[in-house]
Amino acid sequence: MTDDELEQLRQQTDVGTRAQEATPSDESTDLEDAMVTLLAAVEAGETSKTLSVRDARLTALVRALEETGELEEVGTDLQEALGREAAPDAIDRSEVLRLAVRLGLQEAAPDLLETARDAYGRHASEQF
């Protein structure tokens, strides 16, 4: 066996390091990869963690819920619909909107949320 053949055989059977084994598998999606990258950018302050929505009807609805004191009730209903323990003290406009988006995604695109969970887990493991 020549040196070249020996080297080629060694490369084919080399299992690598633990760090190499922890790299994203072929099963990860472009969305998951993008989320992992963006989670790091948000934590580093390179990307804003704020989203904006321009919707006159939604604005009127949420502000009316605030003015009539119904925002807390809607928020706890959303928490319960998501299987979370009701925490009325945590309810504000942003929390209601976060919960509503999550519930909508859970109902309309459950696979998308599974990909997001995978990305959160991968991001957390890379930070360790």
Side-chain angles (χ1 to χ4, degrees), residues 45-78:
E46 298 165 358
T47 299
S48 174
K49 64 179 177 179
T50 302
L51 294 176
S52 298
V53 177
R54 288 189 184 153
D55 186 306
R57 293 177 180 172
L58 183 59
T59 299
L61 172 62
V62 173
R63 290 191 183 250
L65 289 170
E66 285 178 310
E67 287 183 18
T68 61
E70 297 178 52
L71 188 70
E72 186 178 293
E73 181 182 345
V74 170
T76 55
D77 288 346
L78 286 165

Side-chain angles (χ1 to χ4, degrees), residues 31 35 105 109-117:
L31 177 63
M35 284 190 65
L105 290 173
D111 291 344
L112 176 69
L113 287 186
E114 188 61 36
T115 299
R117 284 185 195 98

